[in-house]
């Protein structure tokens, strides 16, 4: 028997929950363990009037069944479009922070198709679809999914436009199951539009005719030509199904080319290649692995038992046994080779002409050392570079339905260009890092391309000998940075971006040059023997170390303000303050704020002990004082703030911490 869906631990906000569809949603979520916020002002179908009774009644129903619920009567939720926008904006940052969110916009058939006498309502409901589509795009990398439903059910809003007999058969309870599924963490649907009612569910998508060019070079475009080609303009025989604005605009690029050449639009193989992504649903594939795969990958990118700090990646019995972050490209490869590219209709290419151009990997949490990961691959774009076609492939990888990493492969197919497509993508492609290792060993991690092992196959691609996997160099360089700047703490790895410039031959020595700017580590890789750059424009973004102090941010801001306004502060304060910041009962940092000499200065550490007053406080309590949550006097008498020296100078703290350390 299938495991029932549970929403235990989840918070669900349902607008319009005092009756009809909203009530069914609220009750259904409450029955399955969610904490429900029941929003309804209790207005009439025109938005007039207000009452708390509708929401209160539903709250009592949920509580009577053992659920958790509270009522909310915010007036703004009466407005269909703006109300949905306001609610989403309030929740968005919380969803981003927790790397999870599910949003359901409720449109209607009136919004999709239009309906007599409902112009204002229809406009608002179709506006919701546009809002949802944009949120689906922007939220994808944060594991925030947004879908739209167009339900047909009996409610206050439909009672004036449907016959009574039909209303009885269209129960709201027939819609709620779809909403619950789309909201569950197991559901990976994103950007969908669904009609639902009477126990039936259907998915909608846009379809567009091939159309016709009715303009000629250096001639006026006339309505008569539109009339004469109207049947062709409206002919859906060779229809396409654009799914993104990029796909929608691609035809215009082709049109400009055809007008110049005096040709018309036609469904040819080149056109099919450029528009093929519109007909492809994301491909899902699973990848199961054990600790052996992690160790094998680590060996393949150059780790060795000769180095003691490598053991955490090579020995499964190590107390801190971890998976290298760049292993995140391995489960994505199967989706790329067997799913994403293999699903493109009309895309037949010589595998010896396929080159790996760029790679982007972003990690949302440390990779598990074993288990089953699910990857979802989709073609983000196909670009015409003249000498070849550039394919951007997006792959999202999940562990137990939780997004763990995102890859974007940039793949160049030599000789496949010239099909009249766009040359650049609106999708940002960040440049990142690459490195080198043993091709024969690395291929055991899953990349079986003979280009890296078979001299004859390599020769067909124009190489003198088999070349190293770009992603092997990628992992090699990444572990260098991780060791140098993050003490091999995989939880600090956030993302990596690399551009593969030239191939590396197995056995060549690779130099990785690194430099740090904040939490971004820039690096470049070269072949030592030849000086050739093989990785350029590369960087790794790191999370701030978990042991970092919040107070560091405050002192950094104080230091910046002293640099700008030091002379003025010296006149106001005329004192030297020392700070001892503790964490876990131990001194974690020391600072000296000199506002007595010259133009003032901030020093890390105590300033030769020559302070007028020294404060000792924990990092947490210091932050509470700064933001006004904790009164300094109360902190002193409670023993949270200790003072040595001239205690009267503490009165000048407000000038330093509040006026000039605004966070």
């Amino acid at each position: 028997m299938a495991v029932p869906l549970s929403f235990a631990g989840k918070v669900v906000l349902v607008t319009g929950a005092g009756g009809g569809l909203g009530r069914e949603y609220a009750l259904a979520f409450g029955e399955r363990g969610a904490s429900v916020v029941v929003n309804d002002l209790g207005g009439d179908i025109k938005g007039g009037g207000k009452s708390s009774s509708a929401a209160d009644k539903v709250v009592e129903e949920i509580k009577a069944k053992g659920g958790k619920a509270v009522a909310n009567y915010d007036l703004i939720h009466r407005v269909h479009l703006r109300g949905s926008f306001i609610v989403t904006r309030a929740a968005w940052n919380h969803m981003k922070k927790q790397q999870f969110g599910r949003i359901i916009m409720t449109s209607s058939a009136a919004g999709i198709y239009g309906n007599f006498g409902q112009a204002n309502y229809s406009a608002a409901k179709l506006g919701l679809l546009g809002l949802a589509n944009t949120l689906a795009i922007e939220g994808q990398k944060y594991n925030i999914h947004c879908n739209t439903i167009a339900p047909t059910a009996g409610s206050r809003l439909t009672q004036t436009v449907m016959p009574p007999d039909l209303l009885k058969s269209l129960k709201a309870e027939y819609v709620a199951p779809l909403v619950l599924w789309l909201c569950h963490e197991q559901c990976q649907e994103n950007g969908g539009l669904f009609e639902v009612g009477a126990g039936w569910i259907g998915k909608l998508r846009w379809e567009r005719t091939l159309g016709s060019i009715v303009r000629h070079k250096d001639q006026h475009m006339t309505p008569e030509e539109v009339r004469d080609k109207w049947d062709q303009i409206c002919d859906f025989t060779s229809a396409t199904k654009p799914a993104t604005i990029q796909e929608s605009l691609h035809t215009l690029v082709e049109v400009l080319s055809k007008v110049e050449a005096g040709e018309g639009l036609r469904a040819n193989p080149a056109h099919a290649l450029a528009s093929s992504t519109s007909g492809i649903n994301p491909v899902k594939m699973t990848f199961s692995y054990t600790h052996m795969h992690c160790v094998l990958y680590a060996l393949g990118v150059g780790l060795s038992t000769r180095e003691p700090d490598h053991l955490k990646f090579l020995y499964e019995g190590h107390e801190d046994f971890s998976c290298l972050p760049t292993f995140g490209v391995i489960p994505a490869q199967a989706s790329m080779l067997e799913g994403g590219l293999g699903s493109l209709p009309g895309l037949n290419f010589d595998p010896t002409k396929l080159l790996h151009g760029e790679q982007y990997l972003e990690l949302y949490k440390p990779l598990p050392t074993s288990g089953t990961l699910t990857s979802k691959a989709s073609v983000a774009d196909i670009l015409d570079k003249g000498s070849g076609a550039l394919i951007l492939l997006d792959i999202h990888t999940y562990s137990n339905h939780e997004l763990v990493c995102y890859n974007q492969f940039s793949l160049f197919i030599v000789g496949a260009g010239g099909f009249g497509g766009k040359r650049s993508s609106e999708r940002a492609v960040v440049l990142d890092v690459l490195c080198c290792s043993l091709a024969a060993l690395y291929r055991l991690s899953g990349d079986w391309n003979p280009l890296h092992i078979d001299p004859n196959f390599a020769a067909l691609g124009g190489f003198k000998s088999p070349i190293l996997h770009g992603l092997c160099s990628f992992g090699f360089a990444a572990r260098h940075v991780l060791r140098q700047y993050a003490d091999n703490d995989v939880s600090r790895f956030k993302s990596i971006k690399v551009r593969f410039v030239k191939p590396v031959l197995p056995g060549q020595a690779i130099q990785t040059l690194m430099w740090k700017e904040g939490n971004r580590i820039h690096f470049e890789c070269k072949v030592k023997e030849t000086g050739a750059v093989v990785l350029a424009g590369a960087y790794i973004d790191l999370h701030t170390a978990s042991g970092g102090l919040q107070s560091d941010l405050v002192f950094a801001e104080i230091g910046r303000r002293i640099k700008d306004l030091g002379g003025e502060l010296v006149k106001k304060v005329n004192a030297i303050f020392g700070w001892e910041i503790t964490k876990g009962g131990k001194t974690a940092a020391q600072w000296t704020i000199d506002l007595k000499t010259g133009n003032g200065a901030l020093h890390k550490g105590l300033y030769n002990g020559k302070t007028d007053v020294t404060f000792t406080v924990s990092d947490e309590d210091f932050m509470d004082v700064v933001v006004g949550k904790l009164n300094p006097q109360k902190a002193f008498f409670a023993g949270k703030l200790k003072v040595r020296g001239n205690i009267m100078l503490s009165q000048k703290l407000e000038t330093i911490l509040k006026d000039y350390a605004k966070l």
Side-chain angles (χ1 to χ4, degrees):
M1 182 178 178
V3 178
L5 297 179
S6 172
F7 290 88
K10 296 292 189 294
V11 177
V12 179
L13 169 60
V14 184
T15 60
L21 290 169
R23 173 179 175 274
E24 288 297 328
Y25 302 159
L27 293 176
F29 278 116
E31 289 175 357
R32 292 175 180 265
S35 297
V36 184
V37 179
V38 179
N39 167 264
D40 200 298
L41 190 65
D44 58 30
I45 61 174
K46 295 182 179 180
K50 58 181 180 179
S51 170
S52 65
S53 60
D56 292 339
K57 183 178 179 181
V58 175
V59 168
E60 292 305 317
E61 287 186 76
I62 295 174
K63 289 183 176 180
K65 296 181 179 181
K68 300 177 181 178
V70 294
N72 177 270
Y73 322 111
D74 192 342
L75 180 63
I76 195 66
H77 297 160
R78 292 186 313 173
V79 185
H80 295 288
L81 181 56
R82 181 164 175 77
S84 297
F85 166 74
I86 294 296
V87 173
T88 303
R89 184 174 63 177
W92 189 258
N93 286 335
H94 298 287
M95 290 179 172
K96 285 176 61 176
K97 185 176 180 180
Q98 69 184 13
Q99 291 289 308
F100 175 81
R102 296 292 185 267
I103 302 168
I104 308 298
M105 296 294 181
T106 302
S107 184
S108 72
I112 298 172
Y113 306 110
N115 194 39
F116 183 85
Q118 290 190 295
N120 57 349
Y121 178 71
S122 298
K125 285 301 186 181
L126 189 58
L128 285 171
L129 178 59
L131 173 62
N133 289 342
T134 297
L135 295 177
I137 296 170
E138 295 180 354
Q140 176 72 47
K141 69 177 182 179
Y142 303 109
N143 194 25
I144 302 174
H145 296 173
C146 186
N147 292 283
T148 305
I149 65 169
T152 303
S155 69
R156 285 176 292 174
L157 294 176
T158 57
Q159 65 186 20
T160 61
V161 295
M162 287 186 179
D165 292 343
L166 181 58
L167 284 174
K168 292 180 181 179
S169 62
L170 296 174
K171 296 182 179 179
E173 65 190 67
Y174 298 152
V175 177
L178 170 62
V179 173
L180 266 67
W181 168 239
L182 291 174
C183 285
H184 200 272
E185 58 189 6
Q186 293 180 15
C187 181
Q188 299 305 315
E189 184 70 38
N190 190 28
L193 170 61
F194 300 87
E195 285 188 291
V196 53
W200 168 86
I201 301 171
K203 185 175 182 179
L204 285 78
R205 65 183 182 188
W206 303 116
E207 187 176 52
R208 184 174 66 184
T209 69
L210 184 62
S212 177
I213 296 176
V214 294
R215 180 172 73 89
H216 302 285
K217 186 178 180 180
D218 300 326
Q219 295 183 22
H220 291 294
M221 180 176 170
T222 68
E224 288 77 16
E225 289 179 293
V226 176
R227 175 200 62 198
D228 295 342
K229 292 190 176 181
W230 191 247
D231 289 344
Q232 186 177 347
I233 291 171
C234 299
D235 183 4
F236 279 88
T237 303
S238 301
T240 61
K241 302 174 181 63
T244 68
I245 192 171
Q246 290 86 354
E247 293 169 16
S248 174
L249 294 176
H250 168 76
T251 297
L252 298 183
V253 177
E254 184 182 355
V255 165
L256 294 176
S257 175
K258 298 298 183 183
V259 168
E260 288 296 314
E263 301 175 3
L265 286 173
R266 58 186 181 275
N268 54 30
H271 177 80
L273 168 64
S275 62
S276 57
T277 57
S278 64
I280 296 177
N281 291 321
V283 178
K284 293 182 181 179
M285 297 194 69
T286 58
F287 177 82
S288 297
Y289 65 105
T290 67
H291 66 272
M292 181 187 73
H293 294 81
C294 299
V295 173
L296 189 62
Y297 175 82
L299 290 170
V301 295
L303 271 78
S304 168
T305 55
R306 292 192 299 270
E307 301 290 341
D309 60 347
H310 288 186
L311 284 180
K312 67 179 292 185
F313 302 109
L314 298 174
Y315 174 42
E316 71 280 2
H318 194 283
E319 60 181 357
D320 294 322
F321 180 57
S322 302
C323 182
L324 279 171
T326 49
F327 183 79
V329 302
I330 300 301
Q333 283 182 323
S335 297
M336 178 187 72
L337 297 175
E338 300 176 27
L341 291 182
S343 300
L344 278 174
L347 181 56
N348 297 312
F349 61 91
D350 183 348
T352 66
K353 304 300 183 183
L354 177 63
L355 299 176
H356 198 160
E358 295 178 358
Q359 181 69 31
Y360 179 78
L361 166 66
E362 183 168 355
L363 222 63
Y364 301 105
K365 60 179 297 184
L367 295 165
T369 55
S370 64
T372 298
L373 301 179
T374 301
S375 291
K376 183 171 68 172
S378 59
V379 177
D381 224 334
I382 300 178
L383 309 178
D384 185 352
K385 293 297 185 179
S387 62
L390 185 66
I391 300 176
L392 301 181
L393 195 66
D394 283 349
I395 302 179
H396 294 81
T397 301
Y398 302 83
S399 175
N400 294 325
H401 307 288
E402 181 178 9
L403 184 63
V404 294
C405 67
Y406 160 73
N407 280 271
Q408 185 176 86
F409 291 79
S410 177
L411 307 171
F412 189 79
I413 304 176
V414 179
F419 54 85
K422 57 187 177 182
R423 296 187 60 84
S424 61
S425 175
E426 295 182 10
R427 300 175 68 89
V429 180
V430 191
L431 301 179
D432 246 327
V433 54
L434 164 62
C435 215
C436 147
S437 182
L438 303 175
L441 179 59
Y442 184 87
R443 68 192 301 266
L444 300 180
S445 289
D447 189 341
W448 303 101
N449 190 337
L451 179 65
H452 307 294
I453 195 70
D454 185 344
N456 294 326
F457 192 90
L460 292 174
F463 299 102
K464 295 181 180 180
S465 63
I467 62 175
L468 189 70
H469 305 71
L471 286 178
C472 179
S473 302
F474 172 84
F476 208 95
R479 70 172 181 80
H480 284 170
V481 174
L482 195 66
R483 181 183 184 185
Q484 181 72 22
Y485 290 102
D487 195 28
N488 281 336
D489 182 357
V490 297
S491 67
R492 293 196 59 197
F493 186 96
K494 179 184 179 184
S495 63
I496 178 174
K497 185 68 169 72
V498 304
R499 177 162 55 92
F500 306 124
V501 180
K502 290 186 177 181
V504 179
L505 301 180
Q508 289 182 323
I510 297 298
Q511 291 179 323
T512 303
L513 308 177
M514 299 171 273
W515 61 98
K516 187 175 186 293
E517 292 182 1
N519 281 346
R520 174 161 290 184
I521 313 300
H522 298 272
F523 62 94
E524 180 181 78
C525 295
K526 295 182 178 181
V527 175
K528 183 178 181 180
E529 292 84 352
T530 65
V533 175
V534 295
L535 292 179
Y539 66 82
I540 285 180
D541 284 337
L542 299 174
H543 294 292
T544 302
S546 57
L549 301 174
Q550 299 179 70
S551 55
D552 287 348
L553 300 174
V554 178
F555 284 108
E557 173 66 10
I558 291 174
R560 189 179 71 81
R561 296 302 178 109
I562 290 176
K563 192 173 182 179
D564 294 340
L565 304 169
E568 181 181 338
L569 287 173
V570 168
K571 293 179 182 179
K572 287 184 177 181
V573 179
N574 192 31
I576 299 176
F577 298 88
W579 288 90
E580 292 183 353
I581 306 297
T582 66
K583 191 167 185 178
K586 298 180 180 179
T587 300
Q590 295 177 315
W591 297 88
T592 299
I593 303 174
D594 183 355
L595 295 176
K596 195 172 188 177
T597 57
N599 288 322
L602 174 71
H603 304 280
K604 186 71 179 286
L606 292 182
Y607 190 47
N608 298 325
K610 297 178 181 179
T611 59
D612 294 306
V613 59
T614 300
F615 304 94
T616 302
V617 64
S618 72
D619 187 52
E620 295 80 7
D621 290 336
F622 175 85
M623 293 302 297
D624 285 345
V625 170
V626 170
V627 300
K629 291 183 179 180
L630 179 62
N631 181 279
Q633 288 185 335
K634 292 182 178 179
F636 174 76
F637 288 115
K640 294 183 177 181
L641 175 64
K642 298 178 181 179
V643 184
R644 301 194 307 271
N646 185 353
I647 192 171
M648 298 303 295
L649 289 173
S650 61
Q651 297 176 6
K652 298 186 177 182
L653 283 177
E654 183 174 359
T655 299
I656 301 172
L657 298 182
K658 291 188 177 179
D659 290 350
Y660 293 95
K662 298 174 182 177
L663 301 180

